[in-house]
Amino acid sequence: LEVKERDNMYVVEVELPGYDRENIQILFNDGYLVVTAGEEFKKAYYIGRNVLQDNICASFYNGILKCMLTKSERAYEDGPVEVNIL
């Protein structure tokens, strides 16, 4: 796992070798990015609530899941948001 903080976003990279895109689920809830892959892998990473929840995107290539979360000036407390993998 690698978390990079840039001026306007967080970039989270997770190595998931051996998994297919169809077996990966991403959920952002209460400041946590939750990644589930198959039945064996489930991790929650605290990012914080200052994220534009409707602007979270993810990609999966060569076993690397990359999630991009845009920072916000205010904290959001909306319900869980499912993130689609491009």
Side-chain angles (χ1 to χ4, degrees), residues 28-33 45-51 53 76 78:
F28 186 79
N29 189 23
D30 200 25
Y32 285 89
L33 184 70
Y45 310 100
Y46 186 74
I47 303 296
R49 291 189 176 106
N50 289 38
V51 170
Q53 295 180 4
Y76 290 87
D78 297 337

Side-chain angles (χ1 to χ4, degrees), residues 1 3 10 12 14 25-36 42-54 56 65 67-69 75-83:
L1 167 74
V3 179
Y10 299 101
V12 179
V14 182
Q25 297 174 336
I26 307 166
L27 187 69
F28 186 79
N29 189 23
D30 200 25
Y32 285 89
L33 184 70
V34 181
V35 177
T36 306
K42 184 173 184 176
K43 296 283 183 183
Y45 310 100
Y46 186 74
I47 303 296
R49 291 189 176 106
N50 289 38
V51 170
L52 294 176
Q53 295 180 4
D54 59 348
I56 301 172
L65 175 68
C67 301
M68 283 94 24
L69 303 96
Y76 290 87
E77 295 192 25
D78 297 337
V81 175
E82 288 188 41
V83 179

